[in-house]
Amino acid sequence: MATIFTERLIQAYNKTSRSTQKKTVLLNLFDIIEILSNELENCKYKPSRFSCFVVQYPKIREIFAPNFSDRLVQHILIDELVQLIDKRFIYDSYANRKEKGTHKAIKRLQNWMQKPINRYFIQLDIDSFFPSIDKDILIDILIKHLKSLDINRDKKIWYWRLAKKIIMQNVIEPMPYLSGDKTLLKQIPKHKSLFNISNNKGLPIGSLSSQFFSNLYLNELDQFVKHKLKIRNYVRYVDDFVILGNTAQELNKYKDEIDKFLFDKLRLKLHPKKVVLNKIDKGINFLGYIIFKDYTLVRNRVVKSFKNRLCFFKFLFEPEKYSCGKINGESKLIKQFKSGNLKPPLKPDILILNDMLSVINSYYGIFCFANSFKLKRDLYRNHFGLLKLFFIPKDYYHRVFVIKEFLYNQ
């Protein structure tokens, strides 16, 4: 029987990204939606068991993936909360928000760097942010916002009850389904793992809800910075933020006040080894780029990662000639290779080439947002090697690559 939630759950299904889980539920989709719809209407919904795996790039971390049914519920809740609350966030919070993102954050920062009054910058990072979020404080923040919304009381209660169930869920009880290389869990520092902290702390990386609730949590910091400290030139992306100012002393004072606020109000602390205070002329290493007043460069780590990926692709075709070294990343080809389903030497199959092309173009997409013409040209000329037999730049500026036409006819 259809309820007020049926259509919203179908819309949520259409919004979810492609996944193996999405394909497997398709046959039972309407049964799943009917069950969820009734549970949501009668306030009987309860989140299911998580799946957990470890990614190694760009750094090792545990990912907790919610059950597909829970993803649908999170879409409904978060989409509505975003419509109601996101407009209260400051303009210069750029992560996981519509019409924001890394490139707009970089452009905003670069515009401020061109102001003569801004001679120094300080870059700060919150230590173990997601595992350190205090759930009780987060719920109090959410209640504060819900109380002030111009919506009926029943709706506020419904939002609060559902959000509380998601926030307070113990991600390790019952024990999550473990996939991938389980031994990697032992390599994660204990203070960064939800397996080693109390249940009233930490949000799982991998949930849509965590993206919104982490922004809601740090909105308290944003408001403090903007309205109490009166700092104009402040940009935040998740837990990484930059402040520009006229003197180093001024910025150090801001740092101390922010550190105190984080601990007193949010039970967080700045990472002591990730504080960077320097002159703006030295460039700001932020969000994968080195940002200067008048130009932007790609971070060396990104370039090195791409070169390693090219070596891996060449190794797949000619393993006796090329060495791939340590393989990092979560791409389709890497997963197939590590599982033993991809054994070199390979023939230039069009499906394999398309997988490689998507990786190549994703990196060149990153390069295109920097002043990187020479870099893009040098990479093609000196590092593609035998891959030039299969891929060619679509234009002179090397903005995007295509597969050579003759390969489609093989």
Side-chain angles (χ1 to χ4, degrees):
M1 183 179 67
T3 74
I4 59 173
F5 294 101
T6 302
E7 185 177 346
R8 288 150 74 184
L9 285 165
I10 293 172
Q11 291 172 351
Y13 173 82
N14 292 329
K15 285 185 178 182
T16 56
S17 58
R18 294 178 184 177
S19 66
T20 303
Q21 210 178 23
K22 184 173 183 176
K23 293 176 183 177
T24 57
V25 303
L26 186 56
L27 291 175
N28 302 314
L29 177 61
F30 289 102
D31 290 336
I32 292 170
I33 286 177
E34 184 177 5
I35 292 170
L36 281 177
S37 184
N38 288 323
E39 287 178 345
L40 289 171
E41 187 168 34
N42 298 307
C43 297
K44 292 183 178 180
Y45 165 77
K46 184 178 179 182
S48 306
R49 188 175 174 186
F50 276 91
S51 295
C52 178
F53 58 93
V54 176
V55 297
Q56 299 182 72
Y57 183 82
K59 58 184 178 181
I60 191 166
R61 55 184 176 171
E62 61 191 18
I63 304 295
F64 287 88
N67 180 281
F68 190 80
S69 298
D70 297 328
R71 287 169 60 191
L72 298 180
V73 173
Q74 288 187 21
H75 265 287
I76 287 179
L77 175 66
I78 300 308
D79 285 354
E80 295 190 20
L81 288 180
V82 164
Q83 289 183 18
L84 294 167
I85 297 176
D86 183 85
K87 55 193 171 187
R88 299 181 173 190
F89 295 166
I90 66 167
Y91 182 87
D92 293 306
S93 166
Y94 286 90
N96 306 310
R97 299 178 68 196
K98 289 182 179 180
E99 300 181 5
K100 297 293 182 178
T102 57
H103 301 302
K104 288 195 174 182
I106 290 167
K107 186 176 180 180
R108 180 78 156 171
L109 189 60
Q110 195 169 48
N111 287 339
W112 287 337
M113 292 169 71
Q114 294 168 359
K115 294 181 179 180
I117 195 172
N118 290 326
R119 299 190 303 122
Y120 288 85
F121 75 91
I122 191 165
Q123 188 169 2
L124 304 170
D125 186 278
I126 296 174
D127 192 11
S128 304
F129 172 52
F130 278 94
S132 301
I133 292 173
D134 188 297
K135 294 182 179 182
D136 294 325
I137 294 175
L138 174 58
I139 288 175
D140 286 344
I141 293 170
L142 177 62
I143 290 172
K144 176 181 70 174
H145 283 279
L146 290 176
K147 282 183 176 179
S148 62
L149 289 175
D150 187 20
I151 57 176
N152 68 63
R153 183 174 179 274
D154 289 343
K155 196 71 172 176
K156 292 179 183 181
I157 293 173
W158 186 85
Y159 285 138
W160 170 73
R161 284 177 174 170
L162 183 56
K164 186 176 181 181
K165 286 179 180 179
I166 292 172
I167 291 169
M168 296 305 296
Q169 182 185 7
N170 189 333
V171 300
I172 63 169
E173 289 184 10
M175 183 70 176
Y177 300 104
L178 301 179
S179 60
D181 187 350
K182 301 175 182 62
T183 62
L184 292 174
L185 284 168
K186 297 179 181 179
Q187 298 181 27
I188 297 174
K190 288 188 175 181
H191 66 285
K192 290 182 177 289
S193 172
L194 297 186
F195 286 99
N196 297 296
I197 61 175
S198 62
N199 184 46
N200 70 326
K201 288 271 190 176
L203 293 182
I205 297 174
S207 286
L208 172 68
S209 59
S210 297
Q211 297 174 10
F212 173 76
F213 289 132
S214 64
N215 263 342
L216 183 69
Y217 202 73
L218 284 187
N219 178 60
E220 300 296 302
L221 169 66
D222 298 339
Q223 301 299 333
F224 172 74
V225 167
K226 286 289 188 179
H227 301 297
K228 297 294 183 180
L229 299 182
K230 306 292 184 182
I231 299 173
R232 289 188 176 183
N233 302 154
Y234 161 88
V235 171
R236 181 176 66 79
Y237 194 92
V238 192
D239 59 340
D240 190 2
F241 47 102
V242 178
I243 300 170
L244 306 185
N246 189 42
T247 67
Q249 292 81 1
E250 171 191 27
L251 294 177
N252 263 322
K253 181 182 177 183
Y254 289 150
K255 176 185 75 73
D256 292 340
E257 293 188 68
I258 287 171
D259 206 11
K260 185 177 186 303
F261 174 85
L262 286 172
F263 183 78
D264 290 347
K265 302 296 183 180
L266 300 176
R267 294 296 180 261
L268 300 172
K269 60 180 180 179
L270 296 174
H271 197 302
K273 295 182 179 180
K274 292 186 178 180
V275 176
V276 180
L277 175 61
N278 214 333
K279 291 184 176 180
I280 280 176
D281 293 342
K282 300 294 183 181
I284 303 175
N285 189 338
F286 188 54
L287 302 180
Y289 297 89
I290 312 296
I291 308 161
F292 294 88
K293 290 180 182 180
D294 303 312
Y295 63 96
T296 305
L297 300 178
V298 181
R299 188 183 285 173
N300 286 334
R301 187 176 73 182
V302 177
V303 177
K304 184 179 179 181
S305 170
F306 181 57
K307 289 179 179 178
N308 289 340
R309 200 61 59 89
L310 292 177
C311 286
F312 172 60
F313 292 164
K314 290 182 284 187
F315 164 79
L316 290 178
F317 290 120
E318 294 188 6
E320 71 284 351
K321 183 176 179 180
Y322 296 98
S323 172
C324 62
K326 186 178 180 181
I327 304 169
N328 292 318
E330 304 297 322
S331 72
K332 181 179 177 180
L333 291 177
I334 290 176
K335 289 179 179 178
Q336 289 178 334
F337 176 74
K338 287 183 175 181
S339 66
N341 294 325
L342 202 65
K343 297 181 180 179
L346 303 178
K347 293 182 179 180
D349 175 87
I350 197 66
L351 295 176
I352 296 291
L353 293 177
N354 270 318
D355 288 337
M356 292 181 175
L357 181 66
S358 66
V359 173
I360 291 170
N361 281 335
S362 68
Y363 274 97
Y364 268 77
I366 294 171
F367 301 154
C368 282
F369 283 95
N371 301 87
S372 60
F373 173 72
K374 290 183 179 179
L375 169 66
K376 292 183 291 183
R377 185 181 60 186
D378 173 73
L379 286 168
Y380 180 66
R381 288 179 177 178
N382 301 318
H383 295 275
F384 268 60
L386 70 85
L387 298 177
K388 291 180 185 177
L389 297 173
F390 316 125
F391 306 106
I392 187 170
K394 191 174 182 179
D395 61 18
Y396 172 77
Y397 297 101
H398 295 63
R399 282 178 286 217
V400 67
F401 281 76
V402 294
I403 298 172
K404 291 187 175 181
E405 285 189 19
F406 77 91
L407 291 162
Y408 286 99
N409 301 320
Q410 289 187 354

